Amino acid sequence: MSSTAPVAFVTGGASGIGLAVVNRWIAEGGHAVIADVRVESLDEAVGALPVGTARGVVCDVTDRASVDAARASVAGTEARLDAVVNSAGIARPEPSSAITDAAFQLMLEIHVTGSMRVCRAAYPLLRASGGAIVNVASVAAIAGLPERASYTSAKSAIGGLTRTLAVEWGRTGVRVNAVAPGYVRTALTDKLIRDGDLNDEPVRSRTPLGRFAEPDEIAGAVQFLAGLASSFVNGHVLVVDGGLTIDGDWY
Ligand SMILES: NC(=O)c1ccc[n+]([C@@H]2O[C@H](COP(=O)([O-])OP(=O)(O)OC[C@H]3O[C@@H](n4cnc5c(N)ncnc54)[C@H](O)[C@@H]3O)[C@@H](O)[C@H]2O)c1
């Protein structure tokens, strides 16, 4: 898959928000390298896309060697790299009084260190093309959420990472921004609902738009931040939550 089309590297790109980002990027004329830890999902995602527009790279963002190998694959195969989207993630609610160090650290490792690892690896390639990074935070970075201490800590740190890289790398023409989605209908939230860890009805009733987002509605914001339409936006965390976090209509 080598051509002059703009190329996006999307972690967690085999499912949910990441896959929607891939679909949008391709619909607008780009090519995508989908990086995901789950081989079967990767094959399925690539197989469903128009031939020659995407390829999969098995990549675990918690493993530096795996991320560096993915970077080498991109550098060796693609003519360019225009965007990196860090959408790899998991959610594992646990009471804060019982969470283990290992479980807490895993969440930071995937979301924060994983994003940093991918940004660092991709930076030289993005610098060459004047590309952009979009990290994926969450409304969990804004509100305290019971039994989500590891997740809210990790998503809060994405904001600091995004702002710092934006300042450090902006001078070399690489922009770094983030989206903070509200509740989105994906495999991640489906599992939380199934397991009794998320009650979807109050989410809908507390969201002024009255529903969950579709993954493509988050992808629209990512596409904006990744492309030239946002060429002077840098270090911003764009909340895409249907009004959930600004709603004062609860009294
Ligand atoms: N769904 C929501 O409501 C919501 C809201 C706010 C933020 N987010 C964030 O959006 C991102 C995407 O979530 P989603 O809802 O699309 O979930 P999803 O489960 O549909 O997709 C996540 C993808 O990440 C991959 N992944 C997990 N660990 C990985 C690793 N170590 N290395 C590489 N890939 C890995 C999974 O295999 C999966 O394909 C996550 O960071 C999540 O925290 C989701």
Side-chain angles (χ1 to χ4, degrees), residues 11-18 35-38 41 59-62 86-90 110-111 136-139 151 155 181-189:
T11 75
S15 175
I17 294 169
D36 206 289
V37 74
R38 285 187 303 164
S41 314
C59 175
D60 180 350
V61 299
T62 68
N86 281 304
S87 192
I90 60 169
I110 293 179
H111 292 269
V136 179
S138 166
V139 292
Y151 190 77
K155 290 306 189 184
Y183 289 85
V184 189
R185 184 60 78 189
T186 67
L188 183 147
T189 45

PDB file of all heavy atoms in Angstrom, residues 11-18 35-38 41 59-62 86-90 110-111 136-139 151 155 181-189, ligand 1:
ATOM      1  N   THR A  11      -4.178   3.688  15.937  1.00  0.00           N
ATOM      2  CA  THR A  11      -4.129   2.592  16.912  1.00  0.00           C
ATOM      3  C   THR A  11      -5.548   2.297  17.400  1.00  0.00           C
ATOM      4  O   THR A  11      -6.402   3.187  17.430  1.00  0.00           O
ATOM      5  CB  THR A  11      -3.235   2.921  18.131  1.00  0.00           C
ATOM      6  OG1 THR A  11      -3.917   3.845  18.990  1.00  0.00           O
ATOM      7  CG2 THR A  11      -1.895   3.493  17.716  1.00  0.00           C
ATOM      8  N   GLY A  12      -5.785   1.044  17.746  1.00  0.00           N
ATOM      9  CA  GLY A  12      -7.152   0.651  18.101  1.00  0.00           C
ATOM     10  C   GLY A  12      -8.070   0.777  16.902  1.00  0.00           C
ATOM     11  O   GLY A  12      -9.287   0.868  17.042  1.00  0.00           O
ATOM     12  N   GLY A  13      -7.482   0.757  15.713  1.00  0.00           N
ATOM     13  CA  GLY A  13      -8.233   1.054  14.487  1.00  0.00           C
ATOM     14  C   GLY A  13      -9.096  -0.081  13.975  1.00  0.00           C
ATOM     15  O   GLY A  13      -9.803   0.081  12.984  1.00  0.00           O
ATOM     16  N   ALA A  14      -9.055  -1.234  14.661  1.00  0.00           N
ATOM     17  CA  ALA A  14      -9.852  -2.370  14.191  1.00  0.00           C
ATOM     18  C   ALA A  14     -11.274  -2.357  14.738  1.00  0.00           C
ATOM     19  O   ALA A  14     -12.082  -3.211  14.374  1.00  0.00           O
ATOM     20  CB  ALA A  14      -9.156  -3.675  14.576  1.00  0.00           C
ATOM     21  N   SER A  15     -11.594  -1.393  15.598  1.00  0.00           N
ATOM     22  CA  SER A  15     -12.919  -1.414  16.236  1.00  0.00           C
ATOM     23  C   SER A  15     -13.359   0.000  16.622  1.00  0.00           C
ATOM     24  O   SER A  15     -12.527   0.901  16.784  1.00  0.00           O
ATOM     25  CB  SER A  15     -12.834  -2.298  17.499  1.00  0.00           C
ATOM     26  OG  SER A  15     -14.050  -2.276  18.214  1.00  0.00           O
ATOM     27  N   GLY A  16     -14.658   0.157  16.770  1.00  0.00           N
ATOM     28  CA  GLY A  16     -15.234   1.349  17.400  1.00  0.00           C
ATOM     29  C   GLY A  16     -14.813   2.672  16.784  1.00  0.00           C
ATOM     30  O   GLY A  16     -14.899   2.873  15.563  1.00  0.00           O
ATOM     31  N   ILE A  17     -14.366   3.576  17.647  1.00  0.00           N
ATOM     32  CA  ILE A  17     -14.004   4.928  17.210  1.00  0.00           C
ATOM     33  C   ILE A  17     -12.838   4.881  16.221  1.00  0.00           C
ATOM     34  O   ILE A  17     -12.846   5.567  15.190  1.00  0.00           O
ATOM     35  CB  ILE A  17     -13.653   5.799  18.448  1.00  0.00           C
ATOM     36  CG1 ILE A  17     -14.904   6.003  19.312  1.00  0.00           C
ATOM     37  CG2 ILE A  17     -13.056   7.137  18.023  1.00  0.00           C
ATOM     38  CD1 ILE A  17     -14.630   6.622  20.686  1.00  0.00           C
ATOM     39  N   GLY A  18     -11.837   4.060  16.517  1.00  0.00           N
ATOM     40  CA  GLY A  18     -10.669   3.960  15.625  1.00  0.00           C
ATOM     41  C   GLY A  18     -11.076   3.507  14.235  1.00  0.00           C
ATOM     42  O   GLY A  18     -10.623   4.072  13.226  1.00  0.00           O
ATOM     43  N   ALA A  35      -3.484  -0.155  13.255  1.00  0.00           N
ATOM     44  CA  ALA A  35      -2.627  -0.820  14.243  1.00  0.00           C
ATOM     45  C   ALA A  35      -3.490  -1.292  15.392  1.00  0.00           C
ATOM     46  O   ALA A  35      -4.152  -0.490  16.050  1.00  0.00           O
ATOM     47  CB  ALA A  35      -1.573   0.156  14.746  1.00  0.00           C
ATOM     48  N   ASP A  36      -3.489  -2.605  15.627  1.00  0.00           N
ATOM     49  CA  ASP A  36      -4.334  -3.129  16.707  1.00  0.00           C
ATOM     50  C   ASP A  36      -3.702  -4.402  17.247  1.00  0.00           C
ATOM     51  O   ASP A  36      -2.972  -5.099  16.554  1.00  0.00           O
ATOM     52  CB  ASP A  36      -5.756  -3.416  16.196  1.00  0.00           C
ATOM     53  CG  ASP A  36      -6.805  -3.339  17.305  1.00  0.00           C
ATOM     54  OD1 ASP A  36      -6.814  -4.249  18.165  1.00  0.00           O
ATOM     55  OD2 ASP A  36      -7.592  -2.383  17.321  1.00  0.00           O
ATOM     56  N   VAL A  37      -4.023  -4.694  18.486  1.00  0.00           N
ATOM     57  CA  VAL A  37      -3.438  -5.861  19.140  1.00  0.00           C
ATOM     58  C   VAL A  37      -4.196  -7.142  18.765  1.00  0.00           C
ATOM     59  O   VAL A  37      -3.670  -8.238  18.915  1.00  0.00           O
ATOM     60  CB  VAL A  37      -3.423  -5.617  20.675  1.00  0.00           C
ATOM     61  CG1 VAL A  37      -4.800  -5.740  21.284  1.00  0.00           C
ATOM     62  CG2 VAL A  37      -2.425  -6.493  21.388  1.00  0.00           C
ATOM     63  N   ARG A  38      -5.413  -7.004  18.256  1.00  0.00           N
ATOM     64  CA  ARG A  38      -6.243  -8.185  17.966  1.00  0.00           C
ATOM     65  C   ARG A  38      -6.191  -8.530  16.480  1.00  0.00           C
ATOM     66  O   ARG A  38      -6.761  -7.828  15.632  1.00  0.00           O
ATOM     67  CB  ARG A  38      -7.690  -7.923  18.385  1.00  0.00           C
ATOM     68  CG  ARG A  38      -7.862  -7.991  19.911  1.00  0.00           C
ATOM     69  CD  ARG A  38      -9.304  -7.889  20.297  1.00  0.00           C
ATOM     70  NE  ARG A  38      -9.896  -6.658  19.770  1.00  0.00           N
ATOM     71  CZ  ARG A  38     -11.196  -6.440  19.675  1.00  0.00           C
ATOM     72  NH1 ARG A  38     -12.048  -7.352  20.020  1.00  0.00           N
ATOM     73  NH2 ARG A  38     -11.651  -5.295  19.216  1.00  0.00           N
ATOM     74  N   SER A  41      -9.579  -9.138  14.485  1.00  0.00           N
ATOM     75  CA  SER A  41     -10.326  -7.908  14.204  1.00  0.00           C
ATOM     76  C   SER A  41      -9.640  -7.101  13.106  1.00  0.00           C
ATOM     77  O   SER A  41     -10.301  -6.473  12.284  1.00  0.00           O
ATOM     78  CB  SER A  41     -10.423  -7.039  15.462  1.00  0.00           C
ATOM     79  OG  SER A  41     -10.785  -7.804  16.558  1.00  0.00           O
ATOM     80  N   CYS A  59      -0.036  -4.565  16.490  1.00  0.00           N
ATOM     81  CA  CYS A  59       0.750  -3.664  17.338  1.00  0.00           C
ATOM     82  C   CYS A  59       0.111  -3.580  18.721  1.00  0.00           C
ATOM     83  O   CYS A  59      -1.080  -3.305  18.847  1.00  0.00           O
ATOM     84  CB  CYS A  59       0.791  -2.277  16.676  1.00  0.00           C
ATOM     85  SG  CYS A  59       1.615  -1.032  17.676  1.00  0.00           S
ATOM     86  N   ASP A  60       0.923  -3.827  19.725  1.00  0.00           N
ATOM     87  CA  ASP A  60       0.487  -3.670  21.117  1.00  0.00           C
ATOM     88  C   ASP A  60       1.151  -2.393  21.642  1.00  0.00           C
ATOM     89  O   ASP A  60       2.378  -2.342  21.780  1.00  0.00           O
ATOM     90  CB  ASP A  60       0.927  -4.895  21.933  1.00  0.00           C
ATOM     91  CG  ASP A  60       0.513  -4.800  23.395  1.00  0.00           C
ATOM     92  OD1 ASP A  60       0.055  -3.718  23.833  1.00  0.00           O
ATOM     93  OD2 ASP A  60       0.662  -5.807  24.111  1.00  0.00           O
ATOM     94  N   VAL A  61       0.350  -1.385  21.944  1.00  0.00           N
ATOM     95  CA  VAL A  61       0.937  -0.093  22.331  1.00  0.00           C
ATOM     96  C   VAL A  61       1.635  -0.149  23.691  1.00  0.00           C
ATOM     97  O   VAL A  61       2.356   0.783  24.052  1.00  0.00           O
ATOM     98  CB  VAL A  61      -0.110   1.053  22.312  1.00  0.00           C
ATOM     99  CG1 VAL A  61      -0.694   1.232  20.916  1.00  0.00           C
ATOM    100  CG2 VAL A  61      -1.191   0.847  23.352  1.00  0.00           C
ATOM    101  N   THR A  62       1.424  -1.236  24.441  1.00  0.00           N
ATOM    102  CA  THR A  62       2.123  -1.361  25.727  1.00  0.00           C
ATOM    103  C   THR A  62       3.538  -1.916  25.554  1.00  0.00           C
ATOM    104  O   THR A  62       4.279  -2.021  26.523  1.00  0.00           O
ATOM    105  CB  THR A  62       1.363  -2.291  26.711  1.00  0.00           C
ATOM    106  OG1 THR A  62       1.405  -3.639  26.215  1.00  0.00           O
ATOM    107  CG2 THR A  62      -0.076  -1.854  26.909  1.00  0.00           C
ATOM    108  N   ASN A  86      -4.478   8.084  18.205  1.00  0.00           N
ATOM    109  CA  ASN A  86      -4.290   7.118  19.296  1.00  0.00           C
ATOM    110  C   ASN A  86      -5.635   6.740  19.892  1.00  0.00           C
ATOM    111  O   ASN A  86      -6.110   7.374  20.826  1.00  0.00           O
ATOM    112  CB  ASN A  86      -3.383   7.725  20.368  1.00  0.00           C
ATOM    113  CG  ASN A  86      -1.930   7.653  19.974  1.00  0.00           C
ATOM    114  OD1 ASN A  86      -1.407   6.576  19.683  1.00  0.00           O
ATOM    115  ND2 ASN A  86      -1.265   8.801  19.943  1.00  0.00           N
ATOM    116  N   SER A  87      -6.235   5.683  19.343  1.00  0.00           N
ATOM    117  CA  SER A  87      -7.569   5.279  19.816  1.00  0.00           C
ATOM    118  C   SER A  87      -7.557   3.934  20.538  1.00  0.00           C
ATOM    119  O   SER A  87      -8.610   3.448  20.942  1.00  0.00           O
ATOM    120  CB  SER A  87      -8.557   5.238  18.636  1.00  0.00           C
ATOM    121  OG  SER A  87      -9.881   5.124  19.076  1.00  0.00           O
ATOM    122  N   ALA A  88      -6.387   3.333  20.717  1.00  0.00           N
ATOM    123  CA  ALA A  88      -6.327   2.058  21.451  1.00  0.00           C
ATOM    124  C   ALA A  88      -6.759   2.300  22.890  1.00  0.00           C
ATOM    125  O   ALA A  88      -6.329   3.271  23.514  1.00  0.00           O
ATOM    126  CB  ALA A  88      -4.906   1.496  21.420  1.00  0.00           C
ATOM    127  N   GLY A  89      -7.602   1.432  23.403  1.00  0.00           N
ATOM    128  CA  GLY A  89      -8.013   1.624  24.791  1.00  0.00           C
ATOM    129  C   GLY A  89      -8.890   0.507  25.305  1.00  0.00           C
ATOM    130  O   GLY A  89      -9.441  -0.288  24.536  1.00  0.00           O
ATOM    131  N   ILE A  90      -9.003   0.460  26.621  1.00  0.00           N
ATOM    132  CA  ILE A  90      -9.883  -0.495  27.292  1.00  0.00           C
ATOM    133  C   ILE A  90     -10.581   0.232  28.446  1.00  0.00           C
ATOM    134  O   ILE A  90     -10.157   1.322  28.829  1.00  0.00           O
ATOM    135  CB  ILE A  90      -9.123  -1.718  27.859  1.00  0.00           C
ATOM    136  CG1 ILE A  90      -8.073  -1.283  28.898  1.00  0.00           C
ATOM    137  CG2 ILE A  90      -8.460  -2.522  26.750  1.00  0.00           C
ATOM    138  CD1 ILE A  90      -7.474  -2.423  29.701  1.00  0.00           C
ATOM    139  N   ILE A 110      -1.596   1.526  28.747  1.00  0.00           N
ATOM    140  CA  ILE A 110      -2.258   1.515  27.429  1.00  0.00           C
ATOM    141  C   ILE A 110      -2.561   2.938  26.960  1.00  0.00           C
ATOM    142  O   ILE A 110      -2.182   3.341  25.859  1.00  0.00           O
ATOM    143  CB  ILE A 110      -3.576   0.706  27.473  1.00  0.00           C
ATOM    144  CG1 ILE A 110      -3.268  -0.774  27.720  1.00  0.00           C
ATOM    145  CG2 ILE A 110      -4.372   0.875  26.186  1.00  0.00           C
ATOM    146  CD1 ILE A 110      -4.493  -1.664  27.818  1.00  0.00           C
ATOM    147  N   HIS A 111      -3.215   3.715  27.832  1.00  0.00           N
ATOM    148  CA  HIS A 111      -3.735   5.006  27.370  1.00  0.00           C
ATOM    149  C   HIS A 111      -2.669   6.098  27.330  1.00  0.00           C
ATOM    150  O   HIS A 111      -2.595   6.855  26.362  1.00  0.00           O
ATOM    151  CB  HIS A 111      -4.896   5.448  28.265  1.00  0.00           C
ATOM    152  CG  HIS A 111      -6.102   4.578  28.131  1.00  0.00           C
ATOM    153  ND1 HIS A 111      -7.116   4.818  27.240  1.00  0.00           N
ATOM    154  CD2 HIS A 111      -6.463   3.437  28.771  1.00  0.00           C
ATOM    155  CE1 HIS A 111      -8.045   3.876  27.337  1.00  0.00           C
ATOM    156  NE2 HIS A 111      -7.659   3.030  28.263  1.00  0.00           N
ATOM    157  N   VAL A 136      -6.974  10.412  22.009  1.00  0.00           N
ATOM    158  CA  VAL A 136      -8.372  10.216  22.420  1.00  0.00           C
ATOM    159  C   VAL A 136      -8.446  10.233  23.948  1.00  0.00           C
ATOM    160  O   VAL A 136      -7.985   9.313  24.617  1.00  0.00           O
ATOM    161  CB  VAL A 136      -8.950   8.908  21.840  1.00  0.00           C
ATOM    162  CG1 VAL A 136     -10.389   8.737  22.313  1.00  0.00           C
ATOM    163  CG2 VAL A 136      -8.902   8.932  20.317  1.00  0.00           C
ATOM    164  N   ALA A 137      -8.997  11.317  24.461  1.00  0.00           N
ATOM    165  CA  ALA A 137      -9.239  11.443  25.902  1.00  0.00           C
ATOM    166  C   ALA A 137     -10.664  10.968  26.172  1.00  0.00           C
ATOM    167  O   ALA A 137     -11.129   9.988  25.578  1.00  0.00           O
ATOM    168  CB  ALA A 137      -9.023  12.884  26.351  1.00  0.00           C
ATOM    169  N   SER A 138     -11.392  11.651  27.020  1.00  0.00           N
ATOM    170  CA  SER A 138     -12.758  11.236  27.364  1.00  0.00           C
ATOM    171  C   SER A 138     -13.371  12.296  28.283  1.00  0.00           C
ATOM    172  O   SER A 138     -12.649  13.053  28.947  1.00  0.00           O
ATOM    173  CB  SER A 138     -12.710   9.894  28.115  1.00  0.00           C
ATOM    174  OG  SER A 138     -13.951   9.614  28.738  1.00  0.00           O
ATOM    175  N   VAL A 139     -14.692  12.297  28.386  1.00  0.00           N
ATOM    176  CA  VAL A 139     -15.322  13.131  29.420  1.00  0.00           C
ATOM    177  C   VAL A 139     -14.922  12.636  30.808  1.00  0.00           C
ATOM    178  O   VAL A 139     -15.081  13.348  31.793  1.00  0.00           O
ATOM    179  CB  VAL A 139     -16.862  13.160  29.294  1.00  0.00           C
ATOM    180  CG1 VAL A 139     -17.283  13.898  28.030  1.00  0.00           C
ATOM    181  CG2 VAL A 139     -17.458  11.762  29.336  1.00  0.00           C
ATOM    182  N   TYR A 151      -9.112   4.747  34.899  1.00  0.00           N
ATOM    183  CA  TYR A 151      -9.512   5.296  33.598  1.00  0.00           C
ATOM    184  C   TYR A 151      -9.508   6.827  33.627  1.00  0.00           C
ATOM    185  O   TYR A 151      -8.981   7.472  32.716  1.00  0.00           O
ATOM    186  CB  TYR A 151     -10.895   4.753  33.238  1.00  0.00           C
ATOM    187  CG  TYR A 151     -11.343   5.037  31.821  1.00  0.00           C
ATOM    188  CD1 TYR A 151     -10.843   4.302  30.753  1.00  0.00           C
ATOM    189  CD2 TYR A 151     -12.276   6.027  31.548  1.00  0.00           C
ATOM    190  CE1 TYR A 151     -11.260   4.552  29.449  1.00  0.00           C
ATOM    191  CE2 TYR A 151     -12.712   6.286  30.256  1.00  0.00           C
ATOM    192  CZ  TYR A 151     -12.204   5.542  29.212  1.00  0.00           C
ATOM    193  OH  TYR A 151     -12.625   5.792  27.918  1.00  0.00           O
ATOM    194  N   LYS A 155      -7.136   9.170  31.380  1.00  0.00           N
ATOM    195  CA  LYS A 155      -7.686  10.110  30.398  1.00  0.00           C
ATOM    196  C   LYS A 155      -7.335  11.556  30.757  1.00  0.00           C
ATOM    197  O   LYS A 155      -7.149  12.390  29.867  1.00  0.00           O
ATOM    198  CB  LYS A 155      -9.203   9.915  30.293  1.00  0.00           C
ATOM    199  CG  LYS A 155      -9.600   8.604  29.623  1.00  0.00           C
ATOM    200  CD  LYS A 155      -8.946   8.450  28.251  1.00  0.00           C
ATOM    201  CE  LYS A 155      -9.486   7.275  27.455  1.00  0.00           C
ATOM    202  NZ  LYS A 155      -8.780   7.089  26.168  1.00  0.00           N
ATOM    203  N   PRO A 181     -14.445  12.282  23.881  1.00  0.00           N
ATOM    204  CA  PRO A 181     -15.816  11.840  23.592  1.00  0.00           C
ATOM    205  C   PRO A 181     -16.635  11.662  24.861  1.00  0.00           C
ATOM    206  O   PRO A 181     -16.101  11.337  25.933  1.00  0.00           O
ATOM    207  CB  PRO A 181     -15.620  10.476  22.906  1.00  0.00           C
ATOM    208  CG  PRO A 181     -14.179  10.400  22.529  1.00  0.00           C
ATOM    209  CD  PRO A 181     -13.452  11.257  23.531  1.00  0.00           C
ATOM    210  N   GLY A 182     -17.934  11.857  24.718  1.00  0.00           N
ATOM    211  CA  GLY A 182     -18.872  11.422  25.750  1.00  0.00           C
ATOM    212  C   GLY A 182     -19.119   9.936  25.547  1.00  0.00           C
ATOM    213  O   GLY A 182     -18.196   9.188  25.212  1.00  0.00           O
ATOM    214  N   TYR A 183     -20.343   9.498  25.716  1.00  0.00           N
ATOM    215  CA  TYR A 183     -20.632   8.062  25.593  1.00  0.00           C
ATOM    216  C   TYR A 183     -20.935   7.712  24.139  1.00  0.00           C
ATOM    217  O   TYR A 183     -21.788   8.338  23.509  1.00  0.00           O
ATOM    218  CB  TYR A 183     -21.790   7.684  26.518  1.00  0.00           C
ATOM    219  CG  TYR A 183     -21.359   7.722  27.970  1.00  0.00           C
ATOM    220  CD1 TYR A 183     -21.368   8.912  28.697  1.00  0.00           C
ATOM    221  CD2 TYR A 183     -20.880   6.570  28.586  1.00  0.00           C
ATOM    222  CE1 TYR A 183     -20.937   8.945  30.019  1.00  0.00           C
ATOM    223  CE2 TYR A 183     -20.442   6.600  29.913  1.00  0.00           C
ATOM    224  CZ  TYR A 183     -20.479   7.788  30.616  1.00  0.00           C
ATOM    225  OH  TYR A 183     -20.045   7.823  31.925  1.00  0.00           O
ATOM    226  N   VAL A 184     -20.200   6.720  23.640  1.00  0.00           N
ATOM    227  CA  VAL A 184     -20.268   6.344  22.233  1.00  0.00           C
ATOM    228  C   VAL A 184     -20.660   4.868  22.149  1.00  0.00           C
ATOM    229  O   VAL A 184     -20.157   4.047  22.928  1.00  0.00           O
ATOM    230  CB  VAL A 184     -18.889   6.531  21.549  1.00  0.00           C
ATOM    231  CG1 VAL A 184     -19.005   6.358  20.045  1.00  0.00           C
ATOM    232  CG2 VAL A 184     -18.288   7.891  21.906  1.00  0.00           C
ATOM    233  N   ARG A 185     -21.512   4.561  21.211  1.00  0.00           N
ATOM    234  CA  ARG A 185     -21.962   3.172  21.062  1.00  0.00           C
ATOM    235  C   ARG A 185     -20.862   2.366  20.359  1.00  0.00           C
ATOM    236  O   ARG A 185     -20.694   2.452  19.147  1.00  0.00           O
ATOM    237  CB  ARG A 185     -23.252   3.175  20.235  1.00  0.00           C
ATOM    238  CG  ARG A 185     -23.888   1.830  20.069  1.00  0.00           C
ATOM    239  CD  ARG A 185     -24.283   1.176  21.373  1.00  0.00           C
ATOM    240  NE  ARG A 185     -25.519   1.717  21.915  1.00  0.00           N
ATOM    241  CZ  ARG A 185     -25.979   1.424  23.135  1.00  0.00           C
ATOM    242  NH1 ARG A 185     -25.283   0.638  23.936  1.00  0.00           N
ATOM    243  NH2 ARG A 185     -27.100   1.952  23.563  1.00  0.00           N
ATOM    244  N   THR A 186     -20.097   1.615  21.123  1.00  0.00           N
ATOM    245  CA  THR A 186     -19.028   0.756  20.572  1.00  0.00           C
ATOM    246  C   THR A 186     -19.000  -0.559  21.357  1.00  0.00           C
ATOM    247  O   THR A 186     -19.720  -0.718  22.349  1.00  0.00           O
ATOM    248  CB  THR A 186     -17.635   1.415  20.720  1.00  0.00           C
ATOM    249  OG1 THR A 186     -17.325   1.488  22.123  1.00  0.00           O
ATOM    250  CG2 THR A 186     -17.567   2.798  20.104  1.00  0.00           C
ATOM    251  N   ALA A 187     -18.084  -1.438  20.972  1.00  0.00           N
ATOM    252  CA  ALA A 187     -17.921  -2.709  21.696  1.00  0.00           C
ATOM    253  C   ALA A 187     -17.568  -2.439  23.157  1.00  0.00           C
ATOM    254  O   ALA A 187     -17.970  -3.183  24.054  1.00  0.00           O
ATOM    255  CB  ALA A 187     -16.825  -3.539  21.019  1.00  0.00           C
ATOM    256  N   LEU A 188     -16.809  -1.351  23.379  1.00  0.00           N
ATOM    257  CA  LEU A 188     -16.380  -1.020  24.753  1.00  0.00           C
ATOM    258  C   LEU A 188     -17.576  -0.714  25.652  1.00  0.00           C
ATOM    259  O   LEU A 188     -17.718  -1.280  26.734  1.00  0.00           O
ATOM    260  CB  LEU A 188     -15.402   0.162  24.689  1.00  0.00           C
ATOM    261  CG  LEU A 188     -14.743   0.672  25.965  1.00  0.00           C
ATOM    262  CD1 LEU A 188     -13.332   1.186  25.661  1.00  0.00           C
ATOM    263  CD2 LEU A 188     -15.546   1.794  26.593  1.00  0.00           C
ATOM    264  N   THR A 189     -18.481   0.154  25.187  1.00  0.00           N
ATOM    265  CA  THR A 189     -19.641   0.496  26.032  1.00  0.00           C
ATOM    266  C   THR A 189     -20.666  -0.644  26.035  1.00  0.00           C
ATOM    267  O   THR A 189     -21.333  -0.867  27.037  1.00  0.00           O
ATOM    268  CB  THR A 189     -20.311   1.810  25.575  1.00  0.00           C
ATOM    269  OG1 THR A 189     -20.453   1.797  24.159  1.00  0.00           O
ATOM    270  CG2 THR A 189     -19.535   3.028  26.011  1.00  0.00           C
TER     271      THR A 189
HETATM  272  N1  LIG B   1     -16.904   4.271  23.642  1.00  0.00           N
HETATM  273  C1  LIG B   1     -16.954   5.329  24.429  1.00  0.00           C
HETATM  274  O1  LIG B   1     -18.021   5.689  24.959  1.00  0.00           O
HETATM  275  C2  LIG B   1     -15.707   6.135  24.691  1.00  0.00           C
HETATM  276  C3  LIG B   1     -15.852   7.382  25.314  1.00  0.00           C
HETATM  277  C4  LIG B   1     -14.722   8.155  25.557  1.00  0.00           C
HETATM  278  C5  LIG B   1     -13.476   7.684  25.178  1.00  0.00           C
HETATM  279  N2  LIG B   1     -13.360   6.461  24.563  1.00  0.00           N
HETATM  280  C6  LIG B   1     -12.024   6.041  24.192  1.00  0.00           C
HETATM  281  O2  LIG B   1     -11.987   5.836  22.795  1.00  0.00           O
HETATM  282  C7  LIG B   1     -10.978   4.874  22.483  1.00  0.00           C
HETATM  283  C8  LIG B   1     -11.589   3.806  21.593  1.00  0.00           C
HETATM  284  O3  LIG B   1     -12.610   3.154  22.321  1.00  0.00           O
HETATM  285  P1  LIG B   1     -13.788   2.363  21.595  1.00  0.00           P
HETATM  286  O4  LIG B   1     -15.031   2.696  22.324  1.00  0.00           O
HETATM  287  O5  LIG B   1     -13.705   2.568  20.130  1.00  0.00           O
HETATM  288  O6  LIG B   1     -13.394   0.861  22.023  1.00  0.00           O
HETATM  289  P2  LIG B   1     -13.279  -0.499  21.159  1.00  0.00           P
HETATM  290  O7  LIG B   1     -13.155  -1.565  22.181  1.00  0.00           O
HETATM  291  O8  LIG B   1     -14.370  -0.581  20.163  1.00  0.00           O
HETATM  292  O9  LIG B   1     -11.896  -0.320  20.376  1.00  0.00           O
HETATM  293  C9  LIG B   1     -10.674  -0.261  21.057  1.00  0.00           C
HETATM  294  C10 LIG B   1      -9.621  -0.953  20.217  1.00  0.00           C
HETATM  295  O10 LIG B   1      -8.355  -0.808  20.903  1.00  0.00           O
HETATM  296  C11 LIG B   1      -7.649  -2.015  20.746  1.00  0.00           C
HETATM  297  N3  LIG B   1      -6.632  -2.148  21.796  1.00  0.00           N
HETATM  298  C12 LIG B   1      -6.826  -2.401  23.117  1.00  0.00           C
HETATM  299  N4  LIG B   1      -5.659  -2.503  23.744  1.00  0.00           N
HETATM  300  C13 LIG B   1      -4.690  -2.302  22.803  1.00  0.00           C
HETATM  301  C14 LIG B   1      -3.275  -2.300  22.839  1.00  0.00           C
HETATM  302  N5  LIG B   1      -2.598  -2.555  23.973  1.00  0.00           N
HETATM  303  N6  LIG B   1      -2.595  -2.039  21.704  1.00  0.00           N
HETATM  304  C15 LIG B   1      -3.270  -1.829  20.539  1.00  0.00           C
HETATM  305  N7  LIG B   1      -4.613  -1.839  20.445  1.00  0.00           N
HETATM  306  C16 LIG B   1      -5.315  -2.076  21.557  1.00  0.00           C
HETATM  307  C17 LIG B   1      -8.727  -3.090  20.836  1.00  0.00           C
HETATM  308  O11 LIG B   1      -8.268  -4.325  20.296  1.00  0.00           O
HETATM  309  C18 LIG B   1      -9.863  -2.461  20.059  1.00  0.00           C
HETATM  310  O12 LIG B   1      -9.820  -2.819  18.682  1.00  0.00           O
HETATM  311  C19 LIG B   1     -10.464   4.354  23.830  1.00  0.00           C
HETATM  312  O13 LIG B   1      -9.294   5.044  24.171  1.00  0.00           O
HETATM  313  C20 LIG B   1     -11.585   4.719  24.792  1.00  0.00           C
HETATM  314  O14 LIG B   1     -11.113   4.862  26.099  1.00  0.00           O
HETATM  315  C21 LIG B   1     -14.454   5.684  24.301  1.00  0.00           C
END
